[in-house]
Structure formats: structure tokens, C-alpha cells
Amino acid sequence: TGLPTPKYMLLVAKSRAACLSAVESYNRASSLYREETFAILMINAWELLLKARVMREHGGKASALHEYRQRKRRMGRRANSGR
């Protein structure tokens, strides 16, 4: 019915969900490890948000999130990367 949702917007939605889960877990009084759970989920939310921004700034390309370095073999020759 409309345009497809850009992939970076899916990361934003996941970031929001992680952030809300972090706050909900912290506010649960009977929860064990609530501070640790909060920290892990909130870090995950920030990471997803950062990845979404990087993707948006690179035209929505997921390849902007990965860095490729060609490795060398023992004898100093480059490995066949298939690219």
C-alpha cells in the first residue's frame, strides 16, 4: 500500500523496544539483576540507534556497518577473498 520501510527504520524500532524493555526491567521491583539487565538492554538500544544513523547517512546500505580487511597468509601473500 505504501513505500517499503527502510532497513534503518527497523533498527530504530528495535532500539525503541530495547530501551522500553530496559526501563520496564529496571522498574520491576522483584526482578533479580535488574541493574545489569537495564545496562545490557540500554547499551543494546544505543548500539542499534547508532547503527541506524550510520545506515541512514550511507543511503540505507547495511554494508556501511561492516569493515572488510583483506588478510595476509603466512608467506605474506593476500588471501583469496572471493571479491
Side-chain angles (χ1 to χ4, degrees):
T1 58
L3 296 174
T5 304
K7 288 185 180 182
Y8 66 85
M9 287 304 295
L10 298 175
L11 290 179
V12 171
K14 287 182 179 185
S15 174
R16 287 180 182 161
C19 185
L20 287 173
S21 294
V23 172
E24 287 174 359
S25 70
Y26 188 79
N27 287 336
R28 213 174 297 132
S30 63
S31 179
L32 296 175
Y33 300 107
R34 68 183 200 170
E35 291 90 0
E36 293 86 350
T37 303
F38 171 82
I40 290 169
L41 289 171
M42 193 56 76
I43 289 169
N44 181 243
W46 276 108
E47 177 187 3
L48 289 167
L49 197 59
L50 177 63
K51 286 180 177 181
R53 182 174 176 164
V54 169
M55 281 180 65
R56 186 189 73 195
E57 290 177 352
H58 288 89
K61 296 178 184 175
S63 62
L65 301 176
H66 305 284
E67 180 179 335
Y68 175 76
R69 293 184 188 175
Q70 195 168 32
R71 297 181 184 192
K72 292 187 178 182
R73 294 185 179 171
R74 290 184 195 160
M75 300 303 289
R77 294 178 294 173
R78 290 184 179 176
N80 188 1
S81 64
R83 289 186 178 191

